[in-house]
């Protein structure tokens, strides 16, 4: 799809202005690719430059996207891209306000038990895969954050992993446990011996040591390990992040601490894990039990 090929006044192409605006805000390459694609949807619909859109154009565009059967998350992603485009690239916030974001119930995430996580990690076929999945679970990282780690991001003095340009272009520190550090040192020794790890290189290189492992490959690794471990749940790399947060919550870690570790900008995003923390629910005493009614009666009702 050709996106934003028309010239813009004194600023190069409209496409390049959009790229520059996203780069200035340190958007990831994946986000930039998605925003270009979604602004391109509008250009294709209009058959002219998207910066010439009117209120009615945007209304017709959103109705058309809904009629072709796009899901709510996809439509909302398009809204995010177009709002950024109209606010920051063409300075038309009036148009951004015309875009409608749809509400949809968020499904509860699948979470593995501690035993299932152990079985999944045991089912990995090599040290690199074991280390990568252990980072995803042990530090609660997104799959793109795991893939983007470099050797220099490991700070063994402060016991943190430095996450550069995470979601939203934000930097943060993730936790680094002693056991995870030991595993990463084992992987460093093995990878350095194989010649695939360099001191300034990627922590998890792909087939070419000069490039990081792809998120698609990490997804395939998780799926294959779950299958080998006999785990029937739908499992992906993000399942390990969900499990990290849920297990911390069940262990009594404050939800605001978990919010910081996950890199969430909003607490209500982290609060979702309270709905799947079954150990936390089981630990609560029901007010009915405090009444001890059935104990006094001596028997349960028929």
């Amino acid at each position: 799809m050709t996106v934003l090929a028309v010239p813009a006044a004194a600023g190069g192409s409209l496409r390049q202005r959009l790229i520059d605006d996203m780069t200035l805000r340190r958007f990831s390459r994946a986000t930039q690719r998605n925003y270009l694609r979604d602004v391109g949807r509008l250009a294709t619909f209009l058959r002219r430059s998207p910066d010439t859109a009117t209120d009615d154009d945007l209304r017709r565009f959103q109705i058309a996207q809904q009629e072709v059967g796009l899901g709510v998350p996809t439509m909302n992603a398009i809204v995010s891209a177009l709002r950024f485009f109209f606010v920051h690239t063409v300075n038309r916030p009036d148009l951004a306000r015309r875009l409608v974001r749809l509400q949809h119930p968020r499904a509860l995430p699948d979470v593995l038990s501690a035993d299932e996580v152990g079985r999944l990690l045991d089912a990995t076929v090599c040290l690199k895969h074991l280390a990568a999945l252990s980072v995803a679970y042990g530090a609660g990282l997104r799959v793109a954050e795991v893939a983007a780690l470099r050797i220099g991001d490991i700070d063994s003095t402060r016991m943190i992993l430095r996450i550069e340009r995470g979601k939203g272009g934000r930097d943060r520190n993730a936790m680094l446990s002693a056991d995870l550090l030991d595993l990463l040192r084992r992987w460093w020794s093995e990878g350095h011996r194989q010649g695939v790890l360099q001191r300034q290189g990627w922590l998890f290189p792909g087939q070419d040591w000069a490039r990081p492992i792809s998120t698609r490959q990490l997804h395939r690794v998780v799926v294959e390990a779950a299958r080998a471990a006999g785990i029937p749940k739908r499992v992906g790399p993000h399942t390990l992040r969900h499990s990290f947060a849920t297990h911390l919550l069940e262990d009594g870690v404050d939800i605001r601490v978990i919010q910081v570790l996950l890199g969430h900008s909003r607490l209500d995003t982290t609060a979702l894990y309270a709905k799947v923390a079954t150990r936390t629910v089981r630990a609560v005493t029901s007010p009915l039990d405090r009444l001890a009614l059935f104990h006094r009666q001596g028997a349960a009702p028929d």
Side-chain angles (χ1 to χ4, degrees), residues 79-273:
V79 167
S80 296
L82 293 180
R83 283 181 175 175
F84 181 90
F85 171 72
F86 285 119
V87 170
H88 298 288
T89 301
V90 298
N91 195 25
R92 291 290 309 276
D94 56 308
L95 288 180
R97 289 192 291 269
R98 305 297 298 176
L99 294 161
V100 178
R101 183 177 293 277
L102 304 177
Q103 297 295 322
H104 69 288
R106 185 173 179 182
L108 294 179
D110 286 325
V111 172
L112 301 179
S113 68
D115 175 70
E116 287 172 327
V117 173
R119 284 161 46 201
L120 185 145
L121 296 178
D122 284 342
T124 53
V125 298
C126 68
L127 186 56
K128 180 173 81 169
H129 294 169
L130 173 61
L133 300 194
S134 296
V135 167
Y137 173 68
L141 302 193
R142 300 176 180 92
V143 62
E145 293 170 344
V146 175
L149 284 173
R150 292 181 176 272
I151 299 294
D153 294 330
I154 302 173
D155 187 338
S156 59
T157 302
R158 300 167 62 202
M159 293 302 288
I160 60 172
L161 293 171
R162 289 189 294 269
I163 310 301
E164 296 186 354
R165 300 182 65 178
K167 189 173 183 179
R170 296 184 295 270
D171 295 348
R172 76 177 194 280
N173 294 326
M175 65 183 296
L176 174 62
S177 70
D179 284 352
L180 182 56
L181 177 60
D182 287 344
L183 176 60
L184 292 178
R185 282 172 170 164
R186 285 173 50 202
W187 163 232
W188 161 256
S189 297
E190 177 64 19
H192 191 59
R193 184 186 64 79
Q194 295 175 3
V196 297
L197 289 185
Q198 310 296 325
R199 289 199 175 275
Q200 302 302 318
W202 304 105
L203 180 57
F204 302 114
Q207 292 182 345
D208 177 0
W209 66 267
R211 295 178 178 271
I213 191 171
S214 68
T215 57
R216 180 174 298 181
Q217 184 179 355
L218 282 173
H219 187 277
R220 188 161 52 244
V221 168
V222 174
V223 170
E224 291 175 354
R227 185 182 300 117
I231 299 172
K233 298 175 182 176
R234 184 177 179 181
V235 178
H238 219 67
T239 308
L240 295 173
R241 176 173 161 89
H242 290 322
S243 302
F244 164 85
T246 303
H247 295 167
L248 286 183
L249 189 61
E250 291 181 335
D251 287 340
V253 177
D254 187 275
I255 195 168
R256 294 187 182 276
V257 174
I258 299 173
Q259 177 190 3
V260 172
L261 293 175
L262 292 175
H264 285 163
S265 58
R266 296 171 45 151
L267 182 60
D268 58 354
T269 303
T270 316
L272 175 70
Y273 296 109

